[in-house]
Amino acid sequence: MQEKIIFLADLFKNQALGGAELHDDVVIKYFEKKEAFYEKINCHLVTTEYIEKNLDKIWFISNFANLSFTSIALLSKKAKYVIYEHDYKFIDVRNPIHFKDFLVPKRNIINYNFYRNAKKVICLSKMHRKIFQDNLNLENIVNINCSMWSDEDLSLFEKLQHSNNQKDLFAVIDSPNPLKKTKETIVYCENNSIPYELIKSKKYTEFISILSRYRGLIFRTNHPEPTPRVAIEAKMLGIKFLSQKHLISVAHEDYFDLKGLAMIECVRKMRENALKKISKWCNE
Amino acid sequence: MKKKILVKGPVLSQSGYGEQSRFALRALKSREDLFDIFILPTAWGKTGWVWEESEFRQWIDEKITLTQVLIQRKQLHIDLSLQVTIPNEFEKIAPINIGYTAGIETHICSPQWLPKCNDMDKVLVVSNHSKTSLVNTVAQATNQQTGESFPYKIETPVEVVWENTPRHEPEEIKELKLTTDFNFLAVSQISPRKNFTNMVRWFVEEFIDQDVGLIVKTNLASNSIMDWEHLEKRIAALISPYSERKCKVYLLHGDLTSGQMTWLYNHDKIKSFVNIAHGEGFGLPMFEAAREGLPITTIGWSGQLDFLHNDGKDLFNKVDYTLQPIQQEAVWPGVLEKDAMWAHADQGSYKMALRKAFKGYDEMKARAEDLKGLVSDKFSDEKLYELFCDSIYKPNPDLVKWKEKLSFLEEL
């Protein structure tokens, strides 16, 4: 009989609209559909009593920055859990860019036992997995090949194919997050005489609709992106995507030269495969 | 590629660590092409705050404000931290963390400092003495799993980068009226480490029948009026048994500008600088006096030797000492441990050295002038800033090349 899953994360889609939360939501819906879902809980609300009471469940652990040290230790020792990794929480600064070839000195490695004792550590792409493997050298690190989108979102991308309102400009994401390097991207566009506009929206569908009107997206980042979603989104919209190849993990996946409907279809298939794999890893 | 560096330390306090923090900032500021500087100010005990207005102070204030704004917006992402403090307070707050400490004035440091230093990627110190006391400390640690005991010491690289202060042109202290023609100068807080009581008492005993002065620039903790009131009573009590004395003790208290300190070191009636502290991390006031060519009377141990000793020669008036355990009242768990030792100046030798400084002034002055040239050269801003910045970050050509490769944009 399939064991029930507790989904653990710092935030969920109804609390924040980041890439990790959107991605997690697809997985949660899948578990619900499979009737494998027990409940979801924010990391900061997890107590030792809660853990002890639910040791018969499978713990599916997404972002866990707010999980207490005691909870990490207890889960590590007693629980059956899978870590669904969205960045690099094995590094004290969560960013391997500071170290040549992304090889992190041992003194900067944290949560090693938490990763080691997991049933599986699921990375989001081959490159993401390689960075984990090169640094942690564990047997339980696996990967899917892409982030995930709901059918509803994929329909939106289908509708937006060949948008008639194409502007002969590049879009630059207007973000206060320094990892997204908005300022540096503006400087890059200006130095290279690339016409651009800043775009932003708090509503996901609106943001994608805005993006679809541009010739392309210029995206600079300051860490090796495990996917990033926006790269695939640009490809699904059929617009150009300019970025740093060595920091864009999905750029190293076999399917990355697809675009438009072909990419949408590929993403749909990869999602189904990934969800099956996740289900299998949870129940191994 | 610039490094974003967060300097955490008592940058605005009137204390040794305050001076050290400001030295670090001046050095980093000399290479703003390499460093984006952010400042997180901390307090230092009960010491007062710097009050002089200057361009440098304005620059510090702007950096502090910017840092606070970025922290509140959660937008401060630093490459490395520089933590100016005692090692107990070192913490991992950046991808690369560097501690900059005065170390300890005893022959070994507290075992508690070792793991904290090992948390750092590098430890910078103000003198060879500071380095020696850190790297010579070996604690016995126990492996929690096997119960096996093993020696534990600092593995992190420790580098000597020294420090200095900016020199300002002399500025008169109008209130200071010296009635004695030959005066010693001491600049020291009153604390067990500074050996202040013996320094004053033995001076009075040596010159009880002579018209010689000792100017003490001091305080108990800060430059406040309350501090002055306590201090005056304490000094009066210290010298009251010597009611027949001819010598004078002048008490200087309160905020002085750097220019006023330069004026003191160059005053034509101030002939020697005296210090018999049990140990110094570096000894900034002694350094400043040496830089001005004032003869120095002190012990031949601890941080000051880096600038008072050159090419096998002691360029100061030496006081003998013995290394002995620190006094009970100086024990400060986690900082000054009871089994640590420091120098205890020999009373007779100190008195003889004072006499020698008084009688042999011309010879002392000639030697101090030689030292002045050496100090000005070896500890110049140019040399120290370069050494300091290289110790913090010297771009590794391989890493620079790799990061350039990562930053290249292309259509994917």
Side-chain angles (χ1 to χ4, degrees), chain B residues 2-26:
Chain B
K2 278 190 178 188
K3 288 281 172 194
K4 288 189 167 68
I5 181 167
L6 177 70
V7 179
K8 185 179 177 195
V11 296
L12 296 177
S13 89
Q14 278 194 329
S15 61
Y17 270 106
E19 291 293 351
Q20 202 179 311
S21 304
R22 290 187 286 280
F23 163 73
L25 288 177
R26 285 193 306 277

Side-chain angles (χ1 to χ4, degrees), chain B residues 149-412:
Chain B
S149 178
F150 63 95
Y152 185 80
K153 55 194 294 188
I154 289 183
E155 305 293 341
T156 302
V158 181
E159 290 178 16
V160 181
V161 293
W162 297 296
E163 61 179 321
N164 72 11
T165 51
R167 186 188 184 277
H168 289 88
E169 287 305 307
E171 197 184 312
E172 189 183 353
I173 305 169
K174 293 206 172 78
E175 299 85 350
L176 184 66
K177 306 290 179 207
L178 300 175
T179 57
T180 42
D181 290 333
F182 194 106
N183 298 282
F184 290 87
L185 172 67
V187 180
S188 154
Q189 218 180 26
I190 297 184
S191 67
R193 177 174 69 82
K194 290 291 187 178
N195 203 11
F196 184 88
T197 304
N198 286 335
M199 190 258 297
V200 176
R201 181 182 288 144
W202 295 343
F203 164 83
V204 174
E205 288 172 0
E206 181 60 19
F207 292 112
I208 196 144
D209 57 350
Q210 275 174 300
D211 212 12
V212 173
L214 171 66
I215 301 151
V216 284
K217 167 73 181 89
T218 186
N219 65 26
L220 289 166
S222 69
N223 289 331
S224 67
I225 293 169
M226 273 176 67
D227 191 276
W228 159 254
E229 286 169 353
H230 288 295
L231 180 72
E232 193 189 16
K233 283 180 195 154
R234 197 149 155 187
I235 304 287
L238 175 62
I239 58 175
S240 64
Y242 309 98
S243 54
E244 301 299 312
R245 73 186 186 283
K246 274 193 182 169
C247 62
K248 287 211 161 60
V249 176
Y250 303 91
L251 187 52
L252 256 180
H253 182 273
D255 294 321
L256 292 185
T257 63
S258 309
Q260 287 173 320
M261 290 305 296
T262 310
W263 182 77
L264 278 179
Y265 300 133
N266 288 285
H267 195 290
D268 60 359
K269 290 185 176 179
I270 295 176
K271 309 287 192 185
S272 183
F273 188 95
V274 63
N275 175 311
I276 53 164
H278 295 294
E280 294 287 356
F282 181 68
L284 265 180
M286 244 187 298
F287 167 79
E288 289 176 340
R291 187 173 59 185
E292 298 299 328
L294 188 62
I296 309 281
T297 296
T298 189
I299 57 167
W301 193 74
S302 77
Q304 64 265 39
L305 287 187
D306 285 9
F307 55 86
L308 293 180
H309 183 92
N310 187 66
D311 203 15
K313 286 184 196 158
D314 288 327
L315 299 170
F316 63 102
N317 184 25
K318 221 192 277 187
V319 176
D320 294 340
Y321 66 92
T322 49
L323 275 187
Q324 291 170 34
I326 65 171
Q327 308 89 302
Q328 183 57 39
E329 68 269 24
V331 172
W332 177 7
V335 180
L336 288 164
E337 304 292 351
K338 64 180 177 191
D339 57 343
M341 295 198 284
W342 58 19
H344 291 253
D346 177 77
Q347 181 182 167
S349 173
Y350 172 56
K351 288 177 175 173
M352 281 171 67
L354 290 175
R355 179 67 49 192
K356 202 170 152 192
F358 179 56
K359 293 276 188 193
Y361 173 70
D362 290 342
E363 189 193 325
M364 298 277 169
K365 182 64 182 168
R367 191 168 58 185
E369 286 298 323
D370 288 346
L371 179 62
K372 178 181 175 177
L374 290 168
V375 166
S376 303
D377 177 44
K378 187 177 171 188
F379 296 90
S380 67
D381 286 349
E382 195 187 6
K383 285 190 177 160
L384 289 199
Y385 292 177
E386 187 184 347
L387 176 69
F388 191 85
C389 292
D390 282 353
S391 295
I392 297 285
Y393 169 60
K394 200 170 184 180
N396 168 345
D398 285 349
L399 192 63
V400 171
K401 227 173 166 180
W402 184 69
K403 286 212 170 181
E404 271 169 14
K405 187 175 132 188
L406 293 185
S407 68
F408 180 70
L409 253 73
E410 59 191 303
E411 188 180 341
L412 303 176

Side-chain angles (χ1 to χ4, degrees), chain A residues 159-283:
Chain A
K159 273 185 216 156
L160 293 171
Q161 295 298 303
H162 311 298
S163 171
N164 291 325
N165 301 325
Q166 203 141 76
K167 296 183 180 185
D168 198 20
L169 294 169
F170 278 86
V172 172
I173 300 171
D174 188 1
S175 167
N177 181 348
L179 281 178
K180 303 298 175 197
K181 285 186 165 267
T182 300
K183 266 194 220 163
E184 290 87 341
T185 312
I186 291 171
V187 171
Y188 175 83
C189 290
E190 285 172 357
N191 289 346
N192 291 280
S193 307
I194 297 172
Y196 73 94
E197 271 181 2
L198 293 175
I199 62 164
K200 68 173 174 184
S201 173
K202 284 183 180 167
K203 288 183 187 162
Y204 178 69
T205 53
E206 189 178 72
F207 175 80
I208 296 299
S209 299
I210 294 170
L211 180 60
S212 73
R213 292 175 210 147
Y214 288 82
R215 188 175 155 204
L217 173 70
I218 301 191
F219 179 77
R220 294 195 70 158
T221 181
N222 197 32
H223 75 149
E225 297 275 356
T227 45
R229 284 173 74 86
V230 78
I232 302 292
E233 284 160 349
K235 290 277 181 174
M236 289 196 287
L237 289 170
I239 64 171
K240 288 179 187 291
F241 180 70
L242 268 73
S243 191
Q244 303 123 288
K245 186 171 183 181
H246 298 284
L247 294 179
I248 302 295
S249 293
V250 286
H252 302 268
E253 297 285 339
D254 301 338
Y255 62 84
F256 195 66
D257 52 356
L258 298 174
K259 59 183 184 179
L261 290 172
M263 179 61 100
I264 295 170
E265 200 40 43
C266 179
V267 165
R268 199 189 309 274
K269 278 185 188 156
M270 281 193 295
R271 182 190 67 194
E272 295 312 311
N273 279 338
L275 290 170
K276 275 182 201 159
K277 278 186 194 172
I278 287 171
S279 185
K280 183 177 153 244
W281 288 327
C282 286
N283 289 293

Side-chain angles (χ1 to χ4, degrees), chain B residues 104 106-110 132-134 136-138 335 339-341:
Chain B
I104 196 66
T106 49
H107 81 301
I108 50 169
C109 70
S110 166
T132 308
S133 58
L134 289 179
N136 283 356
T137 305
V138 182
V335 180
D339 57 343
M341 295 198 284

